[in-house]
Amino acid sequence: MSIAALAVAGVLSSIPTASAAIIDEVEFHGYFRAGFFASKENDFKKADIGGQKEQLGRLGLESDNDGNFGFTTITNINDDQQLRIHIGVGDTEFDDLIGYLEMDGILPSGTLWGGKRKLAEENYIFMTDFFYTDLEGIGAGVQDIEIGDSFLDIAYISSERNISLGYGDYDEFIESAYVPNGEGDIALNNRFIFDTATRQQIQDNQNNSMHTLHLSYTLGALTLQTNYKYLPDNWDLNGKEWAETGYDATAIYHMLDFFGLKGNAFSYAIGQVGRGLGSGNLLGGTITDYQSLRPGSVTQGYHTGEWGDYFGDPYYLITHREEDALSARLLLWGGYTNSDGIGFFPSIQAQYNDEGTNDLGDDGGYNYWVSVMMRNIFPVRDNFIIQTETGYYENTQNGGTWHQSKFTVAPTFVLSDGLSTAEIRFTATYLPLSWTTGDETDPNVKLSDDFVFGIQADAYW
């Protein structure tokens, strides 16, 4: 054995091995929801998503089942050092496996972490399932660095677009979409005419990683966050190069009252602004499935068009931002429960997008959306409540507008110990202009009213 090998073996032998005997605590936590929703206009067949829950409120609209779980082992190395190992699965897919380490006592202050994880999950409106920051990927960072009475977080995260998550088979699409240079007619065949080298370059640059540097500063009730993003060779299938850089900033103010109303209450005021890769659907986050699908810019998300499915795929469109595209978002939300136990939980949300200098015809220029929703909780007896939820949103793009609203009633059985909560709910939802009655991405299809009935179980622990 070489001297170098002996030296490495000596170092490794001096490191204590993990065993069940030194693990002081194991935590198991998770979330799931499962339900069935039937549409009256569809002869009570299974209803797909009938409206945008992040804008209308999630109650009675979450026809997509979801779940995740995770384990954490906690090991106290000595009085000053602790190791936490997190591993879990989200959405029951192996690709969603998360795993990261946290180490206390390694640095003079703060917690050192590394691996695949989500950050800032607490920045979340539970009634709309809206994460206004959504940072996920592989990276490393330090949390809770003490600076006087304040705390600083620093992180690097790598995330990548994967358009094969969308419609059909990506490799088959590539083969059918491209023809050799000088052959075919692009207007008639919906195909791209590139030389072989350019075609390969376009394919090679579809799933490049986006690098994100994240900083967060918290002082009392105020949290300030910023993200700087870099995505090299951000090409689309047309050969167009979109923004390679971008940034966004978020300010969060947490009040222990309902916008001044004292009592059993809380409220938040959030402002966000972003440019380039920090704008549109990427405002406040990295490249994730959720960022691709949530409300952002109407030039992203699901679309239809002459170029076929991939060009309406939100996973494909997520990084299509001009360098000078600009977005701003404002959110106000909170909750108040009166002395009779009746709860009021409203949310007001708005986002404005200046698309910059992109040449996308009707999709260029500007767009914005505004939504207002309210959830009420009425206690009936122990472990039984009636929940109601109303919502309305309006989208505007280059002067044209469209809107949707909803009304939900949900008798609910609930059991909670304060840390874990489980609900079984029966929902009835009236949806004027329901998505279940037509294609919401096609402006030529007239939507009609619908009633959606559902049964849903929901738990977190």
Side-chain angles (χ1 to χ4, degrees):
M1 184 179 291
S2 67
I3 294 176
L6 286 170
V8 171
V11 171
L12 291 177
S13 65
S14 68
I15 298 175
T17 58
S19 67
I22 66 170
I23 294 176
D24 298 297
E25 186 178 350
V26 177
E27 296 180 355
F28 174 56
H29 49 85
Y31 165 80
F32 86 88
R33 65 171 181 268
F36 178 83
F37 294 81
S39 163
K40 177 180 178 296
E41 290 299 311
N42 246 350
D43 295 328
F44 294 100
K45 300 173 185 175
K46 182 177 180 180
D48 201 353
I49 296 172
Q52 187 83 53
K53 67 179 180 180
E54 290 89 355
Q55 293 178 312
L56 297 174
R58 67 196 296 186
L59 194 64
L61 288 183
E62 284 189 306
S63 59
D64 55 320
N65 298 325
D66 193 16
N68 60 75
F69 64 86
F71 294 90
T72 301
T73 64
I74 302 172
T75 304
N76 296 307
I77 307 299
N78 53 47
D79 291 341
D80 301 319
Q81 295 182 326
Q82 186 182 83
L83 171 64
R84 295 184 295 279
I85 302 175
H86 303 261
I87 189 166
V89 174
D91 303 321
T92 67
E93 295 287 344
F94 182 78
D95 287 343
D96 292 320
L97 179 72
I98 61 170
Y100 64 98
L101 308 176
E102 290 183 306
M103 300 179 181
D104 290 340
I106 298 294
L107 302 175
S109 176
T111 298
L112 176 67
W113 68 268
K116 181 179 179 181
R117 68 173 301 181
K118 295 186 178 190
L119 288 176
E121 287 184 276
E122 68 275 10
N123 298 331
Y124 167 68
I125 302 175
F126 76 89
M127 305 96 67
T128 59
D129 203 29
F130 193 98
F131 290 85
Y132 46 91
T133 64
D134 184 43
L135 300 161
E136 180 180 357
I138 298 175
V142 184
Q143 289 185 300
D144 296 331
I145 303 171
E146 295 185 28
I147 305 176
D149 295 330
S150 62
F151 296 90
L152 178 69
D153 297 348
I154 303 173
Y156 163 80
I157 299 174
S158 173
S159 60
E160 66 181 35
R161 182 181 63 182
N162 185 356
I163 69 171
S164 63
L165 291 174
Y167 299 94
D169 183 88
Y170 175 58
D171 292 331
E172 291 181 6
F173 171 79
I174 289 295
E175 291 301 319
S176 65
Y178 289 96
V179 295
N181 190 33
E183 296 183 15
D185 187 314
I186 192 169
L188 296 178
N189 296 316
N190 288 350
R191 295 184 176 187
F192 308 108
I193 305 172
F194 294 114
D195 58 67
T196 302
T198 302
R199 166 184 166 173
Q200 190 61 51
Q201 187 177 19
I202 290 172
Q203 288 180 245
D204 291 344
N205 287 315
Q206 287 308 301
N207 294 323
N208 294 341
S209 295
M210 184 173 77
H211 309 279
T212 300
L213 178 63
H214 169 74
L215 296 174
S216 176
Y217 177 80
T218 299
L219 177 61
L222 178 65
T223 297
L224 302 175
Q225 296 186 359
T226 184
N227 301 298
Y228 177 78
K229 306 168 187 179
Y230 172 60
L231 175 58
D233 296 327
N234 182 17
W235 292 53
D236 67 15
L237 292 172
N238 284 304
K240 174 180 171 59
E241 292 186 75
W242 294 86
E244 290 193 343
T245 61
Y247 59 86
D248 59 62
T250 299
I252 306 166
Y253 187 64
H254 180 200
M255 294 160 277
L256 299 179
D257 53 53
F258 184 72
F259 301 104
L261 181 63
K262 305 295 183 181
N264 185 4
F266 69 94
S267 56
Y268 289 83
I270 302 105
Q272 297 179 282
V273 63
R275 193 176 186 89
L277 287 175
S279 67
N281 282 46
L282 281 173
L283 178 58
T286 56
I287 302 173
T288 69
D289 293 0
Y290 177 79
Q291 290 281 120
S292 301
L293 298 168
R294 75 174 183 178
S297 168
V298 296
T299 64
Q300 299 171 284
Y302 282 109
H303 290 272
T304 59
E306 62 173 322
W307 293 107
D309 288 338
Y310 268 102
F311 293 84
D313 184 352
Y315 308 105
Y316 168 68
L317 296 171
I318 182 67
T319 63
H320 292 186
R321 308 303 298 162
E322 293 286 357
E323 290 282 359
D324 56 352
L326 180 68
S327 295
R329 182 188 296 146
L330 176 67
L331 307 101
L332 302 171
W333 78 282
Y336 177 79
T337 303
N338 67 18
S339 58
D340 295 323
I342 299 175
F344 304 84
F345 299 89
S347 178
I348 301 173
Q349 308 168 140
Q351 181 167 332
Y352 174 84
N353 306 288
D354 181 342
E355 297 299 319
T357 58
N358 57 333
D359 183 16
L360 292 176
D362 291 339
D363 285 340
Y366 69 92
N367 59 81
Y368 61 86
W369 56 267
V370 178
S371 77
V372 180
M373 61 77 58
M374 168 74 82
R375 180 181 294 191
N376 293 107
I377 297 177
F378 302 94
V380 178
R381 58 178 176 80
D382 289 346
N383 306 118
F384 182 67
I385 61 176
I386 300 292
Q387 300 185 80
T388 65
E389 198 169 81
T390 60
Y392 176 87
Y393 77 80
E394 183 165 288
N395 282 339
T396 298
Q397 183 179 13
N398 291 344
T401 63
W402 62 98
H403 66 271
Q404 191 180 37
S405 57
K406 77 132 192 188
F407 308 88
T408 298
V409 177
T412 304
F413 294 91
V414 59
L415 196 59
S416 175
D417 63 0
L419 296 176
S420 302
T421 298
E423 295 187 9
I424 298 175
R425 37 183 111 91
F426 303 85
T427 66
T429 299
Y430 171 54
L431 279 166
L433 307 180
S434 172
W435 289 2
T436 59
T437 61
D439 183 355
E440 72 280 1
T441 65
D442 188 342
N444 298 315
V445 175
K446 180 175 174 56
L447 307 181
S448 59
D449 299 354
D450 197 7
F451 287 92
V452 177
F453 302 93
I455 300 172
Q456 189 177 45
D458 183 300
Y460 65 85
W461 64 93

